[in-house]
Amino acid sequence: MTDFPILSLITFLPLVGAAQVLAVRGDAALVARNARAVALWTSLITFGMSIFLWVGFDTTTADFQFQDRMEWMPAFGISYHLGVDGISMLFVLLSTLLTPICILASWESIKVRVKEYMVAFLVMETMMVGMFSALDVILFYVFFEGVLIPMFLIIGVWGGPRRVYAAFKFFLFTLVGSVLMLLAILAMYFVAGTASIPELLRFGFPTGMQNWLWLAFLASFAVKLPMWPVHTWLPDAHVEAPTAGSVILAGVLLKFGAYGFLRFSLPMFPDASVTFTPLIYALSIIAVIYTSLVALAQEDMKKLIAYSSVAHMGFVTVGTFTLTVQGIEGAIFQSLSHGIVSGALFLVVGVVYDRVHSREIATYEGLVHRMPAYGAVFMLFMLAAVGLPGTSGFIGEVLVLVGAFQANTWVAALTATGLILGAIYMLYLYRRVIFGKLTKEDLKKLLDLSPREMAVFAPLIVLVFVMGIYPGPFLDVMHVSVDNLINSLEAARAGSGNVALMGR
């Protein structure tokens, strides 16, 4: 612990960078160059500071660390309160890692309103880090909803031909769900008399009230995750968003729902979580199987990866609601791995889209003959997405299935079918794009990955292998907090007179 407000600095440094970008003046070329440079350096410094946060994190305690607190609205008991535990720490790291990668990936592809684009990304980084760090439920809601604005602009201003439709669909879906969550937050505030998340975690809500609160939070988290059947905004948002927008959407924003389940639904509403677990299992299994089949039928590379994200998030919800240490740690690890791998796959699509301006799978064939390095990078992330041993995807999926077997064998068996279907649609995509004869004239002129593109992929490649071969440091960060979560769940269930949780 330290008195230095490092968490607040990590949260708001991007906002300071955004103000600096806004202050950039000069002709269009000079403004674009300086805006990119300020945004990149700001995000790199923010990431460097989050590494210090990770190094200084005490893995032996489940307490919130690096807390910053001051009065915000004292008359209402609402405070500015930040802090991280083993569950939120890694999500903060994921957010600060992907932001500079997104900025670097947009270096040449974004040519209009560059200054405003960089401002949007830096503001979004502040919202993402703040959401994962907030320890006041009102502050959490502000950051949770604040992300909508920069993401809406990124899709609506710099997106594809149907960008306005996709942006409004994204905005309305998430807003409707969040309104119900706001009503639940107000109910919690008036009943518990506090907006402090640590105090709410210790407050015992009546079982009947838990059910209503749990459903209200589900309405928001299910859309954000996204869970079937409220996932329909995701393919449109991904297809129309610029490449970096898709990366941050899949890499971080989809994790808001998973984090919400772990921060609110499980610890604050334990009885309701157990009651509604069969519902979550059913929706998750449908997501895993149905959206995998839909992915197989796609002709647009981005849509295929978008539907695969829905299937992978089904693994996350299954793992979370196994209510076992292995399942929850698997869900968190799978969330982190998906953030890296799916983000990388959208970057892979962006590389050829920037050259050919098409995402149609049928446009490509035999790219390995002109782009061998691209083929190798694509193969690595494709194999990580299907959970090949030695990659990050394997660890998360195995832990989720171990937890699922402890909770319910049928759920584990049905969830495991997603591994087979995932391998089918990813190998099918790879074969059609990379292998075959290079007969199309416009593909014969393509150049392989540039040094800048290799620099974008390099940290993600390293992470895929490090997390797959040596996952210990990542699991150590979350283990005590997850164990504490399970223990508090059992204590709450025992206190309400219900039986112990399955799998323990």
Side-chain angles (χ1 to χ4, degrees):
M1 294 290 292
T2 173
D3 293 332
F4 184 72
I6 186 170
L7 196 53
S8 292
L9 206 53
I10 292 171
T11 303
F12 292 104
L13 184 60
L15 209 55
V16 175
Q20 287 182 312
V21 172
L22 279 175
V24 170
R25 293 289 184 271
D27 59 55
L30 183 65
V31 167
R33 187 184 66 189
N34 289 341
R36 292 185 183 110
V38 171
L40 180 62
W41 278 109
T42 302
S43 59
L44 285 173
I45 293 170
T46 305
F47 175 62
M49 293 173 64
S50 68
I51 293 294
F52 278 108
L53 196 74
W54 186 20
V55 172
F57 186 80
D58 184 356
T59 59
T60 63
T61 177
D63 294 338
F64 290 105
Q65 302 175 43
F66 305 104
Q67 293 192 47
D68 296 327
R69 185 169 191 170
M70 65 179 70
E71 297 295 338
W72 181 21
M73 291 181 270
F76 301 100
I78 300 170
S79 61
Y80 167 81
H81 190 186
L82 300 182
V84 289
D85 64 355
I87 294 173
S88 53
M89 177 69 237
L90 293 171
F91 286 109
V92 171
L93 267 176
L94 180 68
S95 304
T96 58
L97 166 70
L98 288 182
T99 302
I101 288 174
C102 287
I103 290 171
L104 194 58
S106 309
W107 209 261
E108 293 179 356
S109 58
I110 299 298
K111 295 180 170 58
V112 297
R113 297 183 179 274
V114 176
K115 183 166 76 170
E116 291 82 357
Y117 180 85
M118 296 300 166
V119 168
F121 256 94
L122 291 173
V123 170
M124 188 154 57
E125 184 175 19
T126 287
M127 298 298 166
M128 293 187 300
V129 176
M131 200 285 296
F132 289 124
S133 307
L135 292 183
D136 183 284
V137 70
I138 302 298
L139 188 65
F140 168 87
Y141 188 79
V142 169
F143 285 126
F144 190 86
E145 290 303 286
V147 170
L148 283 180
I149 299 170
M151 196 66 226
F152 174 80
L153 294 174
I154 287 170
I155 297 173
V157 176
W158 294 276
R162 297 174 71 242
R163 58 186 180 274
V164 174
Y165 166 77
F168 273 93
K169 190 174 182 181
F170 159 76
F171 193 89
L172 289 175
F173 263 68
T174 51
L175 184 64
V176 169
S178 297
V179 167
L180 294 175
M181 185 175 74
L182 178 60
L183 294 176
I185 287 173
L186 293 175
M188 292 164 63
Y189 172 77
F190 287 117
V191 170
T194 179
S196 167
I197 290 177
E199 292 178 24
L200 288 170
L201 289 171
R202 294 190 292 270
F203 188 84
F205 291 99
T207 301
M209 186 178 183
Q210 282 188 32
N211 292 336
W212 291 108
L213 294 175
W214 191 94
L215 289 171
F217 274 86
L218 173 69
S220 181
F221 298 152
V223 172
K224 272 283 197 302
L225 197 65
M227 295 179 71
W228 184 89
V230 289
H231 66 287
T232 57
W233 62 271
L234 185 69
D236 290 317
H238 271 308
V239 167
E240 299 304 324
T243 297
S246 294
V247 173
I248 211 70
L249 185 61
V252 182
L253 268 59
L254 299 193
K255 312 304 177 292
F256 281 22
Y259 176 74
F261 282 132
L262 293 167
R263 180 60 72 224
F264 294 95
S265 302
L266 293 189
M268 295 185 189
F269 322 126
D271 292 323
S273 294
V274 173
T275 300
F276 291 111
T277 288
L279 171 66
I280 295 294
Y281 282 164
L283 297 179
S284 302
I285 290 170
I286 293 172
V288 168
I289 298 175
Y290 170 71
T291 56
S292 292
L293 294 173
V294 174
L296 188 60
Q298 297 307 308
E299 291 298 326
D300 184 302
M301 288 192 281
K302 264 192 161 184
K303 271 194 174 180
L304 189 153
I305 299 170
Y307 279 110
S308 79
S309 292
V310 180
H312 280 109
M313 289 297 101
F315 269 81
V316 171
T317 46
V318 165
T320 300
F321 282 86
T322 60
L323 310 180
T324 64
V325 172
Q326 293 88 347
I328 293 176
E329 289 187 358
I332 298 173
F333 203 95
Q334 175 74 354
S335 295
L336 299 171
S337 173
H338 177 265
I340 295 166
V341 174
S342 69
L345 285 172
F346 280 115
L347 289 170
V348 164
V349 176
V351 167
V352 289
Y353 181 78
D354 288 344
R355 288 161 170 75
V356 184
H357 302 294
S358 172
R359 296 184 303 267
E360 293 296 317
I361 298 172
T363 304
Y364 303 97
E365 186 179 28
L367 286 185
V368 70
H369 299 290
R370 286 293 303 171
M371 306 174 71
Y374 174 78
V377 169
F378 194 167
M379 181 180 66
L380 168 66
F381 292 119
M382 180 270 295
L383 294 176
V386 303
L388 186 77
T391 65
S392 58
F394 176 75
I395 304 296
E397 289 178 350
V398 165
L399 285 172
V400 166
L401 291 178
V402 169
F405 269 111
Q406 294 179 52
N408 188 304
T409 306
W410 279 107
V411 170
L414 291 170
T415 304
T417 59
L419 300 178
I420 301 168
L421 294 171
I424 291 172
Y425 63 69
M426 288 307 300
L427 289 170
Y428 180 64
L429 169 67
Y430 189 77
R431 182 187 66 78
R432 293 183 65 185
V433 173
I434 298 298
F435 292 126
K437 293 182 179 179
L438 188 63
T439 57
K440 298 175 181 175
E441 290 300 321
D442 53 342
L443 300 183
K444 292 180 179 178
K445 301 174 184 176
L446 294 183
L447 298 176
D448 209 346
L449 295 177
S450 67
R452 180 185 60 80
E453 289 166 337
M454 285 301 298
V456 169
F457 286 118
L460 301 176
I461 293 171
V462 171
L463 267 175
V464 163
F465 281 121
V466 169
M467 291 177 69
I469 297 171
Y470 187 49
F474 301 91
L475 294 173
D476 288 345
V477 170
M478 68 180 80
H479 182 72
V480 174
S481 293
V482 172
D483 203 46
N484 181 66
L485 171 61
I486 294 294
N487 288 334
S488 63
L489 270 167
E490 284 191 340
R493 295 276 295 153
S496 63
N498 290 312
V499 296
L501 300 172
M502 290 184 293
R504 292 280 293 176

